[in-house]
Amino acid sequence: MKMSLDFPIARRLYTYSASIISAIILSAAVTPAHAADSVQLVVGGQPVAFVVQPYQENDGTVFAPVDFVRRMGANYAPSQDGKSVDVMGANGAKLTVPFNMVHERYCVPVKQVATALGASVGWNDRAHTMTLRAKIEVVKQDKDGLSIFTSYPIYYSVKRLEKPQRIYVDLLGADLASSPATVPASNPGVSYIRSGSISYNTVRIVVDLKKNIGFKVASTPLTSHVQVAMSGDGEPPRVASRPQPSPIVPIPVTPRPLPVTPLPVAPPDTPQTVPGLQITDVACNVVSDTLTQIVIKTTGQGDFKTETLSSPSRLAFDLAGASLSDNLKRLVSTDHAIIKSIRSGIMKAGGKQFGRVVLDMTKLVAFDVTTQPSDEGVDYVINVKTPGGPPVGPATVSPVPDSTLLAGKIIMVDPGHGGGDSGAVGIGGAREKDLTLSIGKKLRNLLASNGATVYMTREDDTKPSVAARPQMAIAAHADYFISIHCDDSGSRNSHSGSTVYFHAQNPLCRRFAVNVINRVAAVSGIPPNGVKSDTIRFQTGFGVLRGSPMPAILVECGYMNSESDLSKLRTPAVQQHVAEGIVAGLLDFIADAGNR
Amino acid sequence: MSKNSTRIVLTALLPLAVMLGACNNHGPSPTSPPVTTNPPPPATTPQGPLAPVHEGYIYLPSPNGTGDDNELVAQKVTFDNPDDPAREALNALVAAKGTPLASGSELRGVKIEDGLATVNFSPEFKSNFHGSDTQEAQAINSILKTLGQFPTISKVQILVDNAAVDSLGGHFEISDPLDVIRTTVDAKQARVYHKAQSH
């Protein structure tokens, strides 16, 4: 409880000189790391300028003028007895702290006050900098849009980018801490929400969009509840920050004959509709080279039938008694190789009404229909088997981009399994965990020798949990996450080849996977099986990919029940080639514009 | 819930449709199970939330399966205890030849409440499991698809030794409840059942 008269002269002199030096240094925009005891306080991602500089007591406690709480949306007042300061936080927190009066400024212990106001406090001893960041408490997405709740008000910015369509929310002076890295998206137009720290002070929430959604910032510039309103389909709401690109443009240039199947609109008194059975959405998802899924979302179950038609080639899906919801796009164009467009309408036949979805195809291919229950009702999935054909990307004779692209990149290498989890046990008792560690270490060495900063989720025979692995990548601020595994399908020699997985429908990660599989296939001698979405295996995908906000892939190097694959994978030379292929694929990915 | 005769007949028809539907003819697997015809409805009134079911299916990996697309083959089994079909089905899955579940696994308990089936396995279910992602997907999906034939179950929480685990074999997270996998016929039954329940 020191009062101003107690203040030693030496310290007062020091404070003067330190404040002058720090003021000069701060005004020259140089970090004061070399100035002996002056302390810098960073709030909201910005250093705070004070008339009286923050300082450190002998026991290490950092004090600063209490004005800093205003940067956190809080307020203060001297208490009634004049011996302490009352601080009132934006979150309703109230605390009373003793103060040191320095040059008529109330100086309070920063960490104690900031923590009570909901900040996460970081102290960099070398730079004498204390950083306060708001904690991201909740990232929530519902049909109205995106809500982000922080522990105290912060500034933020919202931007849109294209190719692929996504919206960025940058939260300035925020700490991602323990909030979920990915949040399930419930808006039908949103495919994915990822969050990650793009720097120590800035958290970026990325909303990957399936289609062109308009958005509007619905919160004030400084707030603890960031709200971005997003509409459900391609029409922008009242205000957009940039001119929106026009929604789906009907193609093609050559006029096509109208199909024979009639698509009239149902009159309102149609008798055979199941009350409320509606088709609400149609989407085209490319899952792998050989599988494309057309997902037809409906509000309930009904009888369906499918029909193939020719001249031109079409596949029709009819749902008995269904009508179309108003939000449903009647025409969806795709740039798919086989499915040119998807048209929806109402058809009446034999006195009954059907909701009809027609796929206009370049040729008829094999397909089947599966159903899955959803929150709103039932989804019908038309699994269209596209012919596999040649590998997914261009021929890999192009030179590998310059490895200087790796300089400064942070990469997390994740050798699968470990410890008590041996992974697959292949021919002759070979254990997946040993192969993944060998390949992982070679990959680590190769990346490091090219200037990247590389971390590994494990470097020995230990077993981090599935959830911990992407958490490590987040904590390390990794730019890329690469997981190494080997597959095994049971019966001997039933399968062979390498596959690279990406999460769900994420197009960026898909590109990453394509780049890597092409390069690995060129050098490893193991045939490529292409790239696949991890949801083809499991409803939530691979845990490590699901939890990674940065571009992430999982490389299945080969099958351990295949004699040829396994014998190659056990060879150090082939392991090195696989690592080289992964590095080359990563360089291709970085070299693509926009991935740096 | 009011008991009217229409509802009783509807729920009486359910278990028969479940066990006799041609389930996974729509899967990508080249081998499909045989199609059976519908028998007449039973004469007795069903008891309890899950009507007595005498026969059902378990789902096993096909010999050359890749693990993609929940590709599992149905195998018909008879239930000794028709009043507890979920437990019977899972026990049959554990004991089946060609089961994807680890050897030494034992089903300790099944509890169904509000659509969530909590399934408790012995520790061997995880400690004896050594598999690739294909094999792990087949193991978990076989449980989800086997339970998907019961309309009262929409989600499954898997426990090992009465505790949630992060994953079975290091690939897929199973600590949270998972959606069941339903064939087309199962989905139709579930829809009919839930619609009947809401009246």
Side-chain angles (χ1 to χ4, degrees):
Chain A
M1 301 309 146
K2 297 198 204 121
M3 300 296 289
S4 57
L5 296 174
D6 260 351
F7 222 50
I9 293 192
R11 190 173 274 284
R12 213 181 282 159
L13 270 177
Y14 147 75
T15 313
Y16 276 123
S17 51
S19 63
I20 291 167
I21 292 173
S22 303
I24 293 169
I25 290 166
L26 272 175
S27 64
V30 171
T31 56
H34 56 277
D37 284 24
S38 70
V39 170
Q40 187 182 52
L41 185 62
V42 174
V43 182
Q46 304 288 328
V48 183
F50 294 106
V51 170
V52 172
Q53 285 309 300
Y55 62 93
Q56 215 176 358
E57 293 269 336
N58 289 335
D59 63 349
T61 317
V62 172
F63 280 76
V66 70
D67 307 275
F68 81 86
V69 304
R70 292 233 169 88
R71 298 269 185 136
M72 299 164 66
N75 216 334
Y76 67 94
S79 60
Q80 299 286 29
D81 60 351
K83 293 201 176 85
S84 39
V85 173
D86 296 329
V87 179
M88 292 78 70
N91 56 357
K94 281 190 174 46
L95 74 153
T96 302
V97 283
F99 63 90
N100 294 341
M101 185 68 87
V102 179
H103 236 57
E104 281 87 42
R105 295 288 188 274
Y106 295 94
C107 290
V108 294
V110 178
K111 187 163 179 175
Q112 179 188 350
V113 172
T115 311
L117 295 176
S120 113
V121 179
W123 169 246
N124 183 333
D125 199 52
R126 208 164 42 84
H128 283 259
T129 301
M130 179 161 277
T131 307
L132 305 185
R133 297 177 295 169
K135 294 186 191 151
I136 313 282
E137 289 170 341
V138 175
V139 177
K140 194 173 73 141
Q141 210 273 334
D142 56 18
K143 60 176 169 34
D144 296 322
L146 181 70
S147 281
I148 303 165
F149 292 83
T150 57
S151 54
Y152 61 80
I154 51 169
Y155 287 95
Y156 60 96
S157 65
V158 184
K159 290 186 272 273
R160 175 200 284 281
L161 270 179
E162 286 168 336
K163 292 190 180 44
Q165 292 282 347
R166 55 202 190 277
I167 296 174
Y168 283 132
V169 180
D170 279 356
L171 302 157
L172 309 170
D175 178 18
L176 194 52
S178 57
S179 98
T182 56
V183 174
S186 57
N187 185 315
V190 174
S191 67
Y192 206 71
I193 297 182
R194 301 175 277 134
S195 50
S197 302
I198 59 169
S199 70
Y200 187 65
N201 275 305
T202 309
V203 171
R204 174 169 288 182
I205 313 268
V206 181
V207 182
D208 292 304
L209 304 172
K210 283 185 203 155
K211 44 190 176 174
N212 205 348
I213 285 193
F215 72 89
K216 178 187 171 196
V217 176
S219 43
T220 53
L222 178 69
T223 178
S224 59
H225 177 192
V226 177
Q227 278 178 290
V228 181
M230 291 190 280
S231 66
D233 67 13
E235 311 313 312
R238 290 142 322 264
V239 170
S241 60
R242 296 160 36 156
Q244 297 300 315
S246 52
I248 311 298
V249 176
I251 45 89
V253 176
T254 53
R256 306 212 311 251
L258 281 179
V260 176
T261 53
L263 297 175
V265 179
D269 56 344
T270 182
Q272 261 95 12
T273 45
V274 172
L277 176 59
Q278 287 195 327
I279 299 178
T280 56
D281 187 46
V282 172
C284 177
N285 295 331
V286 177
V287 175
S288 73
D289 314 320
T290 49
L291 177 64
T292 298
Q293 291 183 324
I294 309 294
V295 181
I296 302 170
K297 286 186 167 319
T298 71
T299 57
Q301 180 90 28
D303 290 320
F304 70 89
K305 62 178 170 59
T306 55
E307 207 181 330
T308 53
L309 306 155
S310 50
S311 308
S313 303
R314 282 157 287 152
L315 165 57
F317 169 92
D318 295 318
L319 188 61
S323 54
L324 308 185
S325 92
D326 295 331
N327 291 339
L328 176 66
K329 281 234 160 313
R330 302 312 199 242
L331 170 66
V332 177
S333 300
T334 72
D335 57 0
H336 193 271
I338 301 213
I339 303 168
K340 284 294 156 209
S341 54
I342 308 172
R343 291 175 294 119
S344 309
I346 302 288
M347 182 181 78
K348 292 189 103 185
K352 293 205 195 106
Q353 174 175 312
F354 294 87
R356 171 167 274 213
V357 176
V358 177
L359 311 182
D360 297 306
M361 331 245 305
T362 53
K363 58 178 175 178
L364 291 176
V365 291
F367 72 94
D368 59 56
V369 180
T370 52
T371 61
Q372 51 204 43
S374 73
D375 290 340
E376 292 90 38
V378 175
D379 293 347
Y380 294 90
V381 180
I382 307 178
N383 299 294
V384 179
K385 316 283 164 69
T386 55
V392 292
T396 54
V397 291
S398 55
V400 179
D402 193 353
S403 60
T404 54
L405 288 172
L406 284 172
K409 298 279 185 244
I410 303 176
I411 300 161
M412 180 63 79
V413 172
D414 172 39
H417 309 282
D421 174 13
S422 68
V425 179
I427 299 169
R431 293 179 302 195
E432 187 189 340
K433 67 174 179 173
D434 301 327
L435 293 178
T436 62
L437 188 60
S438 300
I439 297 173
K441 283 188 169 162
K442 293 185 167 65
L443 178 61
R444 185 265 312 265
N445 295 341
L446 195 53
L447 287 167
S449 66
N450 280 309
T453 306
V454 194
Y455 299 99
M456 294 182 76
T457 53
R458 70 178 179 101
E459 299 192 52
D460 52 19
D461 195 16
T462 50
K463 182 191 163 228
S465 71
V466 174
R469 296 167 193 249
Q471 292 293 332
M472 289 186 216
I474 292 168
H477 303 284
D479 298 306
Y480 308 98
F481 181 93
I482 302 171
S483 189
I484 309 287
H485 284 254
C486 296
D487 209 343
D488 187 326
S489 58
S491 3
R492 187 172 284 230
N493 293 332
S494 59
H495 294 91
S496 147
S498 333
T499 316
V500 180
Y501 288 87
F502 57 96
H503 187 57
Q505 299 300 318
N506 191 301
L508 195 68
C509 296
R510 180 173 194 274
R511 269 221 305 282
F512 187 11
V514 169
N515 289 134
V516 169
I517 190 65
N518 284 341
R519 291 290 186 186
V520 169
V523 295
S524 68
I526 299 174
N529 286 337
V531 304
K532 291 189 194 177
S533 160
D534 60 0
T535 50
I536 204 177
R537 284 279 155 95
F538 195 69
Q539 52 191 263
T540 50
F542 286 110
V544 296
L545 298 184
R546 180 191 188 204
S548 295
M550 67 288 293
I553 52 170
L554 188 141
V555 183
E556 296 278 2
C557 302
Y559 278 84
M560 297 180 65
N561 55 320
S562 155
E563 284 162 354
S564 72
D565 282 5
L566 186 58
S567 62
K568 293 188 179 108
L569 286 173
R570 293 173 94 156
T571 317
V574 174
Q575 293 178 356
Q576 182 66 22
H577 285 144
V578 170
E580 284 164 9
I582 296 173
V583 173
L586 174 60
L587 285 168
D588 282 339
F589 180 61
I590 299 174
D592 270 348
N595 291 336
R596 287 166 202 260
Chain B
M1 292 181 276
S2 63
K3 293 192 176 15
N4 57 53
S5 55
T6 325
R7 270 203 62 250
I8 290 173
V9 170
L10 204 65
T11 43
L13 279 172
L14 263 176
L16 295 164
V18 161
M19 60 193 186
L20 293 160
C23 310
N24 62 341
N25 275 338
H26 294 290
S29 163
T31 62
S32 43
V35 178
T36 53
T37 53
N38 291 328
T44 55
T45 310
Q47 304 293 320
L50 197 60
V53 178
H54 297 269
E55 285 182 317
Y57 289 93
I58 58 171
Y59 290 88
L60 302 171
S62 64
N64 286 343
T66 59
D68 292 349
D69 284 329
N70 312 320
E71 182 192 332
L72 297 162
V73 180
Q75 182 177 303
K76 195 174 217 171
V77 290
T78 322
F79 298 147
D80 292 328
N81 181 1
D83 288 317
D84 202 355
R87 180 188 288 261
E88 291 288 310
L90 288 176
N91 277 327
L93 179 64
V94 167
K97 180 163 171 287
T99 179
L101 306 184
S103 66
S105 304
E106 224 180 75
L107 177 70
R108 292 259 172 89
V110 182
K111 192 172 62 146
I112 303 170
E113 198 176 311
D114 279 342
L116 172 68
T118 306
V119 180
N120 185 24
F121 284 100
S122 62
E124 292 76 19
F125 176 73
K126 178 170 166 143
S127 60
N128 285 355
F129 182 84
H130 301 287
S132 66
D133 74 90
T134 302
Q135 293 161 329
E136 187 178 343
Q138 288 170 337
I140 303 293
N141 289 339
S142 70
I143 296 173
L144 300 176
K145 204 163 183 180
T146 301
L147 291 179
Q149 69 186 293
F150 304 113
T152 46
I153 303 176
S154 322
K155 284 190 181 288
V156 179
Q157 169 74 60
I158 295 177
L159 302 178
V160 178
D161 205 13
N162 248 326
V165 293
D166 68 330
S167 81
L168 178 60
H171 295 100
F172 309 113
E173 286 164 319
I174 57 171
S175 44
D176 292 325
L178 302 164
D179 292 328
V180 294
I181 297 169
R182 298 212 206 265
T183 63
T184 322
V185 171
D186 293 340
K188 190 169 180 171
Q189 300 316 317
R191 184 77 199 155
V192 169
Y193 174 82
H194 287 294
K195 217 164 143 182
Q197 292 295 88
S198 61
H199 286 134

